[in-house]
Amino acid sequence: VPNDAVVVLDNEPYAFVVANGVARRRGLKLGTDLDGHVVVTEGLVPGDSLVTLGQTYLDDGFKVKVAAVEREIK
């Protein structure tokens, strides 16, 4: 995932995913840093809609509106 999608609070990395218009905070276990991206070894599953902009303003359970969906497949 993009490094910018990962938030670290008290040395604990997490990210937000959106399901049914609601942001959900997910704790992450991180692997290798790959030049602007980081490998997530636990906490996300394929198909999760990951918040990559404005996530530092979110809290678990906030209602959100998805403005655009960008998918990067490698």
Side-chain angles (χ1 to χ4, degrees):
V1 302
N3 284 342
D4 292 344
V6 178
V7 180
V8 179
L9 182 63
D10 296 328
N11 292 323
E12 297 293 327
Y14 65 91
F16 283 96
V17 297
V18 176
N20 300 317
V22 177
R24 294 293 177 199
R25 180 176 165 165
R26 298 259 185 93
L28 304 176
K29 287 196 178 181
L30 303 178
T32 306
D33 188 314
L34 301 171
D35 192 33
H37 289 75
V38 64
V39 175
V40 175
T41 60
E42 288 184 30
L44 298 175
V45 296
D48 277 344
S49 294
L50 184 64
V51 177
T52 59
L53 184 63
Q55 62 276 19
T56 57
Y57 300 102
L58 292 176
D59 204 353
D60 191 56
F62 276 19
K63 291 183 181 180
V64 296
K65 180 178 178 184
V66 177
V69 175
E70 184 177 317
R71 294 188 181 254
E72 182 178 323
I73 300 173
K74 291 186 178 192

